Amino acid sequence: MNSLGDLERRIMDVLWSTGSWLTVRDVLNQMSDRDLAYTTVMTVMNRLVRKDFLLRERTEDGRTWRYRPAAGREAYVAELMLSALSETGDRIAALGHFARSVTAEEAEALREALPQDRTRERP
Amino acid sequence: MTYAVHHLVTLALAWAAGAVMARSRWSVRAPRTGVLIWQAVALTAIMSLVGVALAVGLSPYRLGVVPALARFAADGWAGSLPAGMSAGHLLAVGAGVGLAGWLLAAFGLTCRALAGLRRRQRTLLRLVARPDPGAHEALVVEHPAVAAYCVPGRQATIVLSTGTLGLLHADELAAVLAHERAHVKERHDLALLPFTVLERAFPWIPAVRLMRRQVAALVEMRADDRAARAHGRTSLSSALRRFRASDRLPSPAGTLGGAEGDIDARLDRLTTPTRTSLPLRTLLLSTALTVASTPLSLFLLPM
């Protein structure tokens, strides 16, 4: 896993664990890595915005941006698992499986986690 | 007309070979040979199907398909087709070209869909998965459902759910990882690709679906063989049994389901191993390759 990907994950973790709007400075302060440059974090966060993993809006003073996750962590885990557990068409061809198994409740929970977060209204 | 007859004969041969393959049991014992033969069968069937149409349509030229097609294109451009060219001939040429185009389009669409799904997997994995603490070069996703799979490609990734880690003992996990590594190393995704393309091109033909399923099952068996060689049959089959024992996602309507049957077949051959002799495999393979190369030569040879 490359370091930039690693940084993406750590930034998302900070935002997922807070659950509120954060500025780049807030995120940077919550990361243990003191050597990280402000601009690096900002670049990665804006990339996450472009990929639709983060939403951003202007702060009240209108001078800086603040960010929050577009969906919860569970929604992405659910999407990942659903396509891994799927037994249909392209999805099964896309991944090489050893075997799959899931209980009925787990399957139900996965399906519920998915559309709710997908259709959640964006502020 | 002889070209068309030749193509019809190879088409019939491919069909017969496919019918034999679908019923025979030996491919389970030599899965890699089985996959190669299925590929030869599929290639032959497609080539001769396109070949029949083109050979019939281009028969007035009395040339091999490729040279005749070049001449036909040049004549068509110049607006002076030979006198023997009837509407029926044109229709046959159209059918052949159309079929080839249809397959190319299906190929393109399938590649795009698979690449998209894999890209999305990689992106999501980068955000929510963690490297396996046991240093198994795998990524771990926190979820109770049991899944072990790989995202194939040049930078392939093996993915395990925490449900899988909780389900398996260390030796079973090693066998499962070896199974996935075999998929990655031998590029089983590419071996399966032509059959996925065919299924997309002809979803209404049951034989095509059957073929894809058979190859998918053979690929799993091939990966099982490599895993069993590295970590023993016992570890692998007990891992498979644990997977089978957990509840399964009910297959949605309209899908094949039946993965349980596949697991049974894999367990069977792990518990009672037998191997097809090398001479027999060589014979089968050379027959298949001969059949597959026939329509190819028919395409290129001038009369």
Side-chain angles (χ1 to χ4, degrees):
Chain A
M1 191 168 290
N2 61 50
S3 56
L4 220 54
D6 193 44
L7 195 53
E8 279 186 344
R9 180 165 61 90
R10 285 162 58 206
I11 290 171
M12 289 304 288
D13 279 347
V14 166
L15 284 149
W16 275 324
S17 61
T18 351
S20 61
W21 292 97
L22 294 180
T23 62
V24 174
R25 179 63 62 195
D26 296 336
V27 172
L28 192 61
N29 288 340
Q30 288 197 38
M31 293 177 76
S32 48
D33 193 344
R34 294 279 152 229
D35 296 337
L36 269 177
Y38 178 90
T39 47
T40 312
V41 175
M42 188 178 69
T43 308
V44 173
M45 284 174 72
N46 284 334
R47 204 170 70 178
L48 287 167
V49 170
R50 272 202 307 281
K51 289 188 195 168
D52 289 329
F53 289 109
L54 289 182
L55 306 173
R56 70 170 189 180
E57 62 171 31
R58 290 275 184 199
T59 49
E60 280 82 18
D61 63 15
R63 280 193 299 181
T64 45
W65 292 98
R66 54 185 195 178
Y67 302 76
R68 52 157 258 209
R73 196 171 192 279
E74 328 75 59
Y76 297 121
V77 172
E79 187 189 335
L80 204 61
M81 291 301 284
L82 267 183
S83 74
L85 294 164
S86 162
E87 300 197 346
T88 52
D90 286 341
R91 284 187 169 183
I92 201 167
L95 309 168
H97 298 89
F98 175 70
R100 304 167 289 275
S101 69
V102 60
T103 62
E105 301 90 71
E106 285 163 1
E108 191 50 42
L110 281 174
R111 287 203 199 88
E112 273 175 11
L114 200 55
Q116 276 174 5
D117 282 286
R118 274 268 172 95
T119 55
R120 188 163 66 187
E121 262 183 65
R122 296 186 170 189
Chain B
M1 221 51 218
T2 41
Y3 281 117
V5 175
H6 268 117
H7 280 303
L8 273 176
V9 171
T10 42
L11 185 62
L13 274 176
W15 187 265
V20 171
M21 284 291 289
R23 242 170 292 133
S24 77
R25 303 284 308 146
W26 69 263
S27 61
V28 166
R29 280 177 268 143
R32 198 166 36 155
T33 316
V35 170
L36 281 169
I37 291 183
W38 272 120
Q39 287 176 335
V41 165
L43 180 69
T44 310
I46 291 165
M47 298 282 284
S48 42
L49 212 62
V50 174
V52 169
L54 289 180
V56 168
L58 298 168
S59 55
Y61 282 101
R62 313 195 131 274
L63 285 169
V65 166
V66 171
L69 202 58
R71 194 81 79 72
F72 172 75
D75 286 356
W77 185 256
S80 59
L81 290 172
M85 207 76 183
S86 68
H89 285 123
L90 288 175
L91 202 67
V93 174
V97 172
L99 184 62
W102 181 255
L103 282 164
L104 269 179
F107 176 74
L109 286 174
T110 307
C111 287
R112 208 178 57 174
L114 297 189
L117 280 165
R118 288 171 189 156
R119 200 177 324 116
R120 182 73 182 163
Q121 277 275 331
R122 277 179 220 287
T123 310
L124 292 180
L125 283 170
R126 209 161 56 216
L127 294 185
V128 302
R130 264 142 238 279
D132 181 17
H136 286 116
E137 94 265 21
L139 292 178
V140 176
V141 177
E142 234 167 278
H143 199 273
V146 180
Y149 63 96
C150 67
V151 187
R154 257 168 301 171
Q155 285 194 306
T157 318
I158 296 173
V159 185
L160 302 168
S161 64
T162 43
T164 305
L165 292 176
L167 184 76
L168 301 176
H169 289 300
D171 59 321
E172 296 159 345
L173 186 61
V176 169
L177 286 168
H179 174 105
E180 291 308 327
R181 268 199 306 275
H183 281 323
V184 169
K185 240 193 207 130
E186 300 193 347
R187 290 309 302 261
H188 288 166
D189 56 311
L190 295 181
L192 252 177
L193 181 65
F195 303 96
T196 314
V197 171
L198 279 179
E199 200 178 3
R200 183 181 280 255
F202 308 111
W204 56 86
I205 303 177
V208 170
R209 206 185 302 171
L210 178 83
M211 190 156 65
R212 211 261 302 151
R213 265 201 77 192
Q214 288 246 343
V215 176
L218 287 175
V219 157
E220 293 306 326
M221 291 174 179
R222 167 65 187 162
D224 280 351
D225 284 350
R226 284 192 66 142
R229 210 178 302 151
H231 297 277
R233 294 169 185 282
T234 342
S235 310
L236 185 65
S237 45
S238 71
L240 272 173
R241 267 189 220 102
R242 281 186 203 279
F243 270 90
R244 193 182 50 179
S246 341
D247 284 330
R248 296 193 53 78
L249 188 70
S251 301
T255 64
L256 289 160
E260 273 162 349
D262 291 348
I263 288 196
D264 285 339
R266 283 163 68 187
L267 277 169
D268 277 351
R269 59 190 289 284
L270 283 173
T271 40
T272 52
T274 36
R275 245 180 114 55
T276 306
S277 64
L278 186 65
L280 177 58
R281 273 187 292 155
T282 316
L283 176 73
L284 288 164
L285 203 59
S286 50
T287 315
L289 291 179
T290 314
V291 174
S293 58
T294 312
L296 203 64
S297 58
L298 287 173
F299 262 78
L300 297 175
L301 283 179
M303 196 170 241

